[in-house]
């Protein structure tokens, strides 16, 4: 009798704790040493095989050698520890008993599969060996049990697989022999070969092995087994797997488990089949059982695509399988059992499952269950449906959808089924897809779009001058620039697809050509962009626009109830503000006023202001701009009725507004009646060596206070005008690039004085203006305690903060930063996800010290990171009041903020529990 375990020991056992020394885990006949929660030890596949066995699902018996052995194996010079072999043999004996067959037996030979199975799914990256245990003797026994053709077909598949995976003999040597035999026999398909053909083929294959290795093919099944187990452990280190791990951030330390399992056969005759199914439709999320199968086939035949698989039921019928009979019709008993099992599995795992099954002589066996991959559309629908069915909570439903994946729902995507010829890769700067004819200038883009053509704007880099072309284009492609370059930021704001920093592009504007990786394109040629993957494709690839259904809105409602952090948007026009509001924005976190200055009808007045020779001339030019700005702001206040609107005063260096090229200079000279020499002299005067660190941001307000005064007046008057029409307004004025408290102190006084002055003409008590600052320079973050004395709010400009604290140009990083990710120096692009150890530290210091001086200081973020799920989690942890992002990211941010809150609440609960215990 065994002593009853103490509760702690039982808990540890459940978590696999006492199993630390156990390295081989048996499963079969309703009993299993492992369970679903033991993924770390058993890998995903092993854990699920154990769990299915416990549930009473028919699973071929087997055993899992744990992931720990993988590390031991590699440490011990790629040798299997003797104790592991001993335990494996004991487990194998149990498998033999369950199956009533013996490994290596000449009469009733047990065959096994040897498969990898890591903690995280790594599809197709590692190796497997099937039909192991066959040799010249056992094949005869198998032939008697089944039939001769089947037995020799299995043997030749085994020798080939073992030869390839274990003995590392080039696959093609076997394939060539098979093809030669088919030629001689005039056979198109393998299935046309006879038993004696296959017997001859096996002999050939055995010869190939001997020729290539210098030793005969191992006939001892135990020797085969240890060699195959070793090969699977070795495959954890193969190039494919290492690359996959690097891309998906899977630690090398984890290792793979090895699953050794009794073979069952779907290819033994017409009462046999093999198939895959999903417990719900993986592309629509609809609640119906969906899958396909092949009669008289092995699993690999389903994937090989030689025969058209049959639908398992009517709803799974596709165009090419419409006439084929279903499993439900052909094998109703097995189908009914499959239905019973899939329902059980889905209920147990409380998620959509992807299952693999085999039917051997009418008996159903389950080979695998795992969480099924799905489209975002399906993910949202399944999560909402399952919560409604009571299978999961609403909180779980919210957690189940990856925020980033929502992008797929909000933009057109390339048809996943369509062939794609990728000619170059850049940064996935703004998601979605675009198909159009190449244009190399913003003016061409506008002109051709007006004529009804779809165009893709291709530029070395974009500047504010290109806005109209970007607007007109379907998508934007640049050779230079990172994730926060002008092209990237503006395209995201417009919800347009953009591939930026595609360094291999060679653009010749003069010739109207571009070269890329050996392909040449001319203006007018059609290309396709995949902004979600950063790919450039030749020709037109069809796109699909997913629909936003009721499930999406429902999930968003649940997310909104769970989150604490508010979500605002970065928008500069009433149009963008309106879109963002439809997506659920709760205000504007950043209105960049400079974008308004580039409108064709006002750029001249801006240039006049900059070229002005004295204060009076500047005031005259500003007087022209005032009513235009007032109109802009009024439109935005109306679009955001009742919600806060943060307007940032002018930020970019003045030279950005000045004419470029002779033609533009001529235009300015003519319009303003000045001299070309004056314009050129001014151009020279404002030229800077390092404009991003030069005369920009609040420095403009310090040196040209009249510009900021005009903007403040326009904001206040617009607010009064809108408030008078009965709409609630909440203007917030924000200063850019503050680095020293003195700058803020002075500019705050200037703003307050201007408002006081303006109030005399508009005594509108309902308009209250708050004044805050961006924190986008390290010095501002470090001196936030002083700065907050003059700020009603902080908004982190993490684009510039990353640029300035990292000394990393946001417009040039695209050239070399991808290499940093490839070499593993950085896990993420710091312009996409906040660099928590560096930039994040500055943000923490600034938030804490700002709130020490001014408790309750409102804190938000308006850099591009405000739409990145990981960064939102970080900001929520720092106690931010809001995040602000481009309109199309608003739903992503709402979901990410809800998930952040759920995670934080979990952490708080764990801390409380920890405190109670200590
Ligand atoms: C920033 O720097 O993060 C920011 C929001 O401002 P801009 O991108 O306009 O420089
Ligand atoms: Mg900035």
């Amino acid at each position: 009798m065994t002593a009853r375990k103490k509760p702690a020991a039982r808990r540890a056992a459940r978590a696999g704790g006492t199993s630390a020394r156990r390295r081989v885990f048996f499963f079969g006949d309703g009993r299993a040493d492992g369970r679903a929660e033991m993924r770390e030890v058993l890998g995903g596949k092993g854990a699920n095989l154990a769990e299915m066995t416990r549930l009473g699902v028919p699973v071929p018996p087997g055993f899992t050698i744990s992931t720990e052995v993988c590390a031991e194996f590699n440490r011990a010079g790629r040798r299997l520890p003797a104790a592991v072999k001993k335990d494996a043999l004991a487990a194998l004996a149990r498998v033999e008993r369950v199956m009533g067959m013996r490994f290596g037996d000449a009469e009733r030979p047990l065959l096994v599969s040897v498969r990898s199975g890591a903690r995280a799914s790594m599809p197709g990256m590692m190796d497997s060996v099937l039909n192991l245990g066959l040799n010249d003797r056992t094949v005869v026994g198998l032939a008697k049990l089944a039939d001769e053709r089947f037995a020799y077909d299995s043997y030749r598949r085994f020798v080939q697989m073992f030869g390839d995976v274990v003995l590392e003999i080039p696959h093609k040597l076997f394939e060539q022999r098979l093809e030669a035999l088919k030629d001689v026999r005039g056979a198109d398909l393998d299935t046309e070969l006879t038993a004696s053909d296959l017997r001859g083929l096996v002999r050939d294959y055995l010869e190939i092995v001997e020729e290539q290795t210098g030793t005969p093919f191992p006939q001892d099944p135990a020797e085969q087994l240890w060699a195959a187990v070793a090969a699977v452990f070795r495959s954890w280190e193969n190039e494919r797997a290492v690359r996959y791990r690097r891309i998906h951030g899977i630690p090398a330390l984890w290792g793979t488990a090895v699953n050794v399992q009794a073979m069952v056969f779907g290819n033994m005759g017409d009462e046999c089949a093999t198939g895959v199914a999903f417990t719900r439709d993986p592309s629509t999320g609809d609640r119906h059982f969906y899958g396909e199968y092949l009669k008289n086939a092995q699993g690999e035949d389903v994937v090989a695509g030689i025969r058209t698989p049959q639908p398992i039921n009517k709803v799974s019928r596709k165009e090419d399988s419409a006439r084929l009979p279903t499993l439900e019709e052909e094998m109703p008993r097995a189908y009914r059992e499959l239905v019973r099992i899939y329902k059980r599995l889905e209920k147990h795992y409380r998620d959509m499952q992807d299952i693999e099954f085999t039917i051997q002589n009418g008996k159903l066996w389950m080979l695998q269950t795992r969480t099924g991959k799905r489209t975002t559309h399906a993910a949202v629908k399944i999560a909402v449906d399952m919560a409604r069915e009571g299978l999961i909570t609403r909180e779980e439903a919210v957690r189940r959808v990856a925020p980033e994946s929502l992008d797929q729902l909000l933009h057109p995507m390339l048809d996943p089924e369509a062939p794609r010829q990728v000619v170059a890769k850049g940064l996935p700067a703004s998601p979605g897809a675009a198909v159009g004819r190449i244009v190399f200038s913003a003016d061409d883009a506008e002109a051709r779009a007006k004529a009804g053509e779809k165009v893709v704007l291709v530029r070395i880099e974009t500047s504010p001058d290109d806005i109209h072309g970007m607007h007109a284009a379907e998508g934007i492609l640049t050779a230079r620039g990172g994730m926060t370059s002008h092209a990237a930021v503006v395209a995201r704001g417009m919800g347009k697809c953009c591939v930026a920093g595609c360094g291999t592009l060679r653009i010749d504007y003069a010739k109207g050509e571009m070269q890329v990786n050996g392909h040449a394109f001319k203006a007018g040629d059609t290309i396709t962009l995949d902004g979600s993957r950063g790919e450039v494709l030749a020709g037109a690839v069809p796109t699909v626009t997913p629909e936003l259904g009721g499930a999406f809105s429902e999930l968003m409602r649940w997310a909104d109830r769970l989150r604490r952090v508010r979500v605002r948007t970065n928008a500069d026009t009433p149009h963008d503000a309106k879109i963002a509001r439809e997506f659920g924005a709760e205000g504007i976190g950043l209105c960049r006023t400079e974008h308004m200055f580039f409108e064709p009808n006002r750029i001249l007045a801006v240039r006049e202001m900059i070229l002005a020779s004295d204060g009076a001339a500047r005031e005259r030019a500003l007087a022209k701009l005032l009513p235009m700005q007032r109109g802009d702001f009024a439109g935005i206040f109306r679009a955001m009725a009742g919600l806060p609107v943060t307007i940032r005063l002018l930020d970019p260096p003045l030279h950005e507004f000045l004419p470029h090229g002779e033609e533009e200079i001529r235009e300015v000279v003519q319009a303003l009646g000045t001299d070309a020499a004056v314009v050129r002299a001014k151009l020279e005067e404002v030229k800077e060596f390092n404009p991003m660190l030069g005369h920009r941001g609040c420095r403009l307000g310090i040196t040209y206070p009249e510009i900021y005064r005009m903007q403040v007046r326009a904001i206040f008057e617009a607010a009064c005008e809108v408030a008078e029409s009965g709409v609630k307004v909440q203007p917030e004025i924000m200063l850019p690039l503050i680095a020293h408290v003195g700058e803020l102190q002075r500019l705050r006084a200037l703003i307050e004085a201007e408002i006081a002055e303006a109030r005399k003409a508009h005594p509108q008590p309902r308009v209250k203006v708050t004044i805050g600052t961006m924190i986008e320079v390290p010095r501002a973050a470090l001196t936030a305690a002083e700065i907050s004395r003059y700020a009603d709010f902080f908004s982190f400009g993490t684009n510039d903060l990353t640029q300035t604290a990292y000394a990393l140009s946001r417009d040039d990083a695209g050239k070399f930063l991808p290499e940093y990710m490839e070499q593993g120096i950085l896990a993420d692009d710091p312009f996409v996800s906040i660099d928590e150890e560096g930039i994040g530290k500055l943000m923490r210091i600034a938030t804490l010290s700002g709130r020490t001086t001014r408790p309750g200081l409102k804190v938000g973020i308006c850099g591009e990171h405000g739409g990145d799920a990981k960064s939102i989690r970080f900001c929520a942890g720092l106690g931010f009041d809001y995040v602000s992002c481009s309109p199309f990211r608003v739903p992503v941010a709402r979901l990410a903020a809800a998930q952040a809150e759920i995670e934080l609440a979990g952490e708080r609960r764990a801390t409380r529990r920890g405190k109670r215990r200590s």
Side-chain angles (χ1 to χ4, degrees):
M1 211 179 96
T2 51
R4 274 180 67 78
K5 283 192 183 119
K6 296 212 175 87
R10 267 205 307 277
R11 260 200 313 276
R14 270 204 300 278
T18 55
S19 318
R21 256 165 290 118
R22 186 197 284 281
R23 287 176 294 182
V24 176
F25 296 76
F26 170 78
F27 55 87
D29 203 22
R31 269 187 287 268
D33 297 330
R35 57 197 321 138
E37 300 85 66
M38 292 169 65
R39 286 181 82 89
E40 288 182 20
V41 184
L42 301 178
K45 190 184 194 75
N48 283 336
L49 286 171
E51 188 76 4
M52 280 202 290
T53 306
R54 281 170 179 273
L55 288 175
V57 168
V59 172
F63 56 91
T64 305
I65 306 179
S66 78
T67 52
E68 290 161 29
V69 179
C70 187
E72 264 180 81
F73 170 83
N74 284 316
R75 265 200 313 271
R78 302 197 151 170
R79 287 160 64 100
L80 273 178
V84 170
K85 285 189 178 176
K86 189 167 152 258
D87 292 348
L89 287 177
L92 186 63
R94 289 177 75 181
V95 175
E96 290 177 331
R97 278 199 294 281
V98 176
M99 294 299 283
M101 299 172 105
R102 299 267 309 277
F103 192 54
D105 192 82
E107 301 294 317
R108 291 181 60 76
L110 170 73
L111 305 188
V112 295
S113 62
V114 180
R115 296 178 207 256
S116 59
R119 202 192 296 189
S121 150
M122 294 171 59
M125 293 301 127
M126 287 174 291
D127 293 324
S128 305
V129 181
L130 307 182
N131 299 328
L132 188 136
L134 276 171
N135 58 23
D136 295 347
R137 267 163 35 105
T138 53
V139 73
V140 180
L142 185 64
K144 281 194 203 129
L145 283 180
D147 75 73
E148 199 182 0
R149 192 192 174 285
F150 162 76
Y152 282 96
D153 189 40
S154 303
Y155 196 13
R156 66 105 190 160
R157 286 178 195 245
F158 169 54
V159 177
Q160 172 163 356
M161 223 173 193
F162 191 93
D164 176 18
V165 169
V166 181
L167 305 173
E168 295 175 3
I169 298 170
H171 189 68
K172 67 170 193 288
L173 295 182
F174 298 106
E175 284 299 314
Q176 282 163 356
R177 200 64 67 95
L178 174 65
E179 288 310 311
L181 176 65
K182 276 163 55 182
D183 279 350
V184 173
R185 295 283 180 267
D188 287 332
L189 300 175
D190 303 0
T191 42
E192 292 166 38
L193 297 175
T194 64
S196 93
D197 288 338
L198 292 167
R199 200 174 326 111
L201 195 61
V202 167
R203 263 199 308 276
D204 289 356
Y205 278 13
L206 294 175
E207 252 172 51
I208 293 177
V209 170
E210 194 156 355
E211 268 163 34
Q212 293 292 315
T213 63
T215 40
F217 184 81
Q219 290 287 320
D220 173 9
E223 192 187 327
Q224 294 173 357
L225 178 63
W226 307 136
V229 170
V232 174
F233 277 141
R234 244 184 3 242
S235 72
W236 176 252
E237 294 298 344
N238 75 30
E239 221 180 286
R240 258 194 336 250
V242 170
R243 209 174 315 119
Y244 186 92
R245 285 206 294 276
R246 203 177 294 144
I247 294 169
H248 292 87
I250 299 172
L253 272 179
W254 281 5
T256 180
V258 176
N259 298 292
V260 179
Q261 194 177 13
M263 286 291 301
V264 287
F265 297 97
N267 57 340
M268 255 188 189
D270 277 353
E271 282 304 294
C272 303
T274 186
V276 291
F278 294 88
T279 58
R280 301 189 186 210
D281 191 317
S283 45
T284 62
D286 286 342
R287 196 182 174 188
H288 57 234
F289 191 35
Y290 180 91
E292 45 192 31
Y293 76 107
L294 273 179
K295 245 166 77 169
N296 197 8
Q298 270 203 329
E300 64 202 49
D301 305 328
V302 183
V303 201
I306 300 163
R307 285 160 58 191
T308 307
Q310 295 170 230
I312 55 165
N313 51 19
K314 281 204 197 82
V315 283
S316 307
R317 279 202 164 118
K318 289 192 295 207
E319 221 171 276
D320 58 347
S321 62
R323 286 166 203 280
L324 300 174
T326 64
L327 184 71
E328 190 174 7
E329 290 159 354
E330 287 200 315
M331 300 185 184
R333 219 162 49 90
Y335 179 77
R336 273 199 304 278
E337 190 175 6
L338 190 60
V339 167
R340 194 179 55 73
I341 290 171
Y342 100 72
K343 287 188 176 160
R344 176 98 209 263
L345 288 174
E346 189 179 273
K347 199 159 166 208
H348 180 74
Y349 284 98
R350 302 184 316 122
D351 204 350
M352 188 265 268
Q353 297 294 296
D354 165 354
I355 57 183
E356 285 177 24
F357 63 90
T358 282
I359 299 167
Q360 179 176 315
N361 295 330
K363 169 148 178 60
L364 175 70
W365 294 97
M366 301 306 293
L367 301 186
Q368 167 135 304
T369 187
R370 60 186 162 189
T371 303
K373 298 238 183 308
R374 59 203 82 180
T375 61
T376 305
H377 183 80
V380 171
K381 172 131 178 52
I382 291 171
V384 170
D385 282 353
M386 285 192 168
R388 284 192 187 132
E389 291 158 26
L391 212 52
I392 58 175
T393 62
R394 287 181 178 182
E395 196 175 291
E396 274 179 291
V398 164
R399 269 205 333 243
R400 288 242 173 123
V401 178
E404 301 293 340
S405 70
L406 291 184
D407 260 342
Q408 269 186 34
L409 297 185
L410 309 171
H411 298 277
M413 304 296 294
L414 289 187
D415 182 347
E417 309 283 320
R420 32 166 71 213
Q421 188 200 350
V422 178
V423 293
K425 264 196 90 100
L427 296 172
S430 181
V435 183
R437 290 177 185 278
I438 296 173
V439 286
F440 291 109
S441 80
D443 291 343
D444 278 353
E446 197 175 51
R448 285 182 164 233
K450 266 199 192 124
E453 262 182 58
K454 292 198 183 311
V455 296
V456 170
L457 177 62
V458 181
R459 302 283 299 163
I460 295 172
E461 63 197 336
T462 61
S463 75
D465 275 344
D466 295 319
I467 297 274
H468 59 298
M470 296 173 79
H471 211 90
E474 301 295 307
I476 298 116
L477 169 63
T478 66
R480 262 192 232 141
M483 292 296 279
T484 59
S485 62
H486 179 268
V489 172
V490 174
R492 277 200 290 276
M494 291 177 175
K496 268 194 188 169
C497 148
C498 172
V499 176
C502 184
T504 47
L505 283 189
R506 295 285 164 268
I507 301 172
D508 187 332
Y509 289 140
K511 288 195 187 143
E513 279 176 13
M514 73 173 186
Q515 307 272 345
V516 58
N517 299 327
H519 301 263
F521 295 89
K522 288 197 292 299
D525 289 349
T526 299
I527 54 168
T528 300
L529 302 182
D530 183 337
S532 312
R533 295 207 214 175
E535 289 176 355
V536 184
L537 301 100
V541 179
T543 58
V544 286
T545 312
E547 277 171 30
L548 291 185
F552 172 79
S553 314
E554 186 77 346
L555 190 77
M556 283 296 150
R557 263 197 300 279
W558 296 349
D560 288 347
R561 274 190 222 130
L562 288 163
R563 74 187 156 89
R564 186 194 54 79
V565 174
R566 300 244 163 229
V567 176
R568 298 196 192 182
T569 191
N570 294 356
D572 319 323
T573 63
H575 172 258
D576 289 354
K578 195 166 157 288
I579 294 177
R581 220 179 158 160
E582 280 160 15
F583 281 140
E586 296 164 299
I588 288 183
L590 173 63
C591 169
R592 292 178 167 102
T593 48
E594 58 270 19
H595 289 168
M596 302 162 173
F597 282 18
F598 282 101
E599 298 277 313
N601 57 346
R602 51 185 88 169
I603 185 72
L604 215 56
V606 176
R607 287 174 177 161
E608 189 182 336
M609 168 191 85
I610 299 167
L611 294 168
S613 49
D614 54 35
R618 187 165 302 116
E619 294 278 5
R620 275 198 303 279
L622 286 167
K624 288 187 200 165
L625 286 169
L626 176 72
M628 301 180 192
Q629 284 258 278
R630 193 169 48 220
D632 295 331
F633 298 139
I636 289 174
F637 287 140
R638 278 203 185 89
M640 277 287 153
L643 299 173
V645 174
T646 305
I647 298 170
R648 181 180 73 186
L649 303 186
L650 197 65
D651 181 29
L654 292 181
H655 76 89
E656 284 197 9
F657 302 102
L658 285 175
H660 303 289
E662 285 307 308
E663 199 176 318
E664 279 190 16
I665 294 182
R666 253 196 315 277
E667 261 175 41
V668 172
V669 168
Q670 226 171 31
L672 305 184
T674 59
D675 212 310
V678 174
V679 176
R680 286 210 186 84
K682 193 71 189 179
L683 281 177
E684 230 10 74
E685 191 189 317
V686 294
K687 207 181 210 169
E688 290 180 303
F689 283 108
N690 213 338
M692 289 314 272
L693 299 179
H695 195 182
R696 60 166 284 213
C698 64
R699 296 159 199 174
L700 293 172
I702 299 283
T703 51
Y704 298 123
E706 53 279 15
I707 301 179
Y708 276 16
R709 261 196 241 118
M710 179 280 285
Q711 290 198 294
V712 171
R713 184 168 283 264
I715 293 168
F716 183 77
E717 289 180 1
C720 291
E721 182 188 314
V722 175
E724 268 148 33
S725 69
V727 175
K728 191 170 172 235
V729 285
Q730 293 184 54
E732 301 177 334
I733 295 178
M734 180 159 76
L735 291 155
L737 215 76
I738 292 285
H740 191 285
V741 62
E743 293 168 323
L744 183 60
Q745 185 185 9
R746 185 162 301 221
L747 290 171
R748 183 176 183 112
L750 175 140
I751 295 167
E752 282 174 342
E754 190 63 28
I755 291 175
E757 187 60 33
R759 238 184 235 291
K760 288 182 190 156
H762 305 272
Q764 176 49 266
R766 269 174 293 160
V767 174
K768 299 203 169 42
V769 184
T770 57
I771 301 165
T773 179
M774 296 194 69
I775 302 288
E776 53 181 345
V777 175
R779 195 182 186 285
L782 295 171
T783 58
E786 290 92 72
I787 286 181
S788 65
R789 292 199 341 252
Y790 299 96
D792 299 325
F793 61 87
F794 278 179
S795 177
F796 284 92
T798 43
N799 303 335
D800 272 316
L801 191 59
T802 303
Q803 167 164 267
T804 50
Y806 227 122
L808 196 56
S809 159
R810 53 196 269 198
D811 297 307
D812 300 303
K815 265 194 230 153
F816 50 86
L817 216 48
E819 187 95 359
Y820 273 57
M821 265 79 80
E822 240 156 66
Q823 291 194 22
I825 300 171
L826 295 178
D828 298 308
D829 181 335
F831 287 112
V832 175
S833 278
I834 287 167
D835 154 47
E836 293 179 16
E837 301 95 50
I839 310 302
K841 205 178 222 172
L842 285 169
M843 293 168 74
R844 177 170 286 120
I845 292 170
T847 308
L848 287 177
S849 52
R851 282 182 172 160
T852 307
T853 310
R854 188 187 275 256
L857 173 78
K858 187 156 67 174
V859 177
I861 174 176
C862 64
E864 288 302 296
H865 306 81
D868 168 64
K870 195 158 161 257
S871 309
I872 291 170
R873 164 73 183 77
F874 180 72
C875 294
L878 288 187
F880 276 28
D881 297 286
Y882 69 88
V883 297
S884 187
C885 55
S886 56
F888 284 83
R889 300 292 292 182
V890 167
V892 175
R894 285 161 71 195
L895 188 57
Q899 292 182 354
E901 208 50 49
I902 297 169
E903 225 180 282
L904 286 167
E907 279 170 19
R908 281 194 291 270
R909 274 197 303 276
T911 314
R912 275 200 302 274
R913 269 202 305 275
K915 275 200 188 128
R916 269 204 303 275
R917 232 175 262 143
S918 62

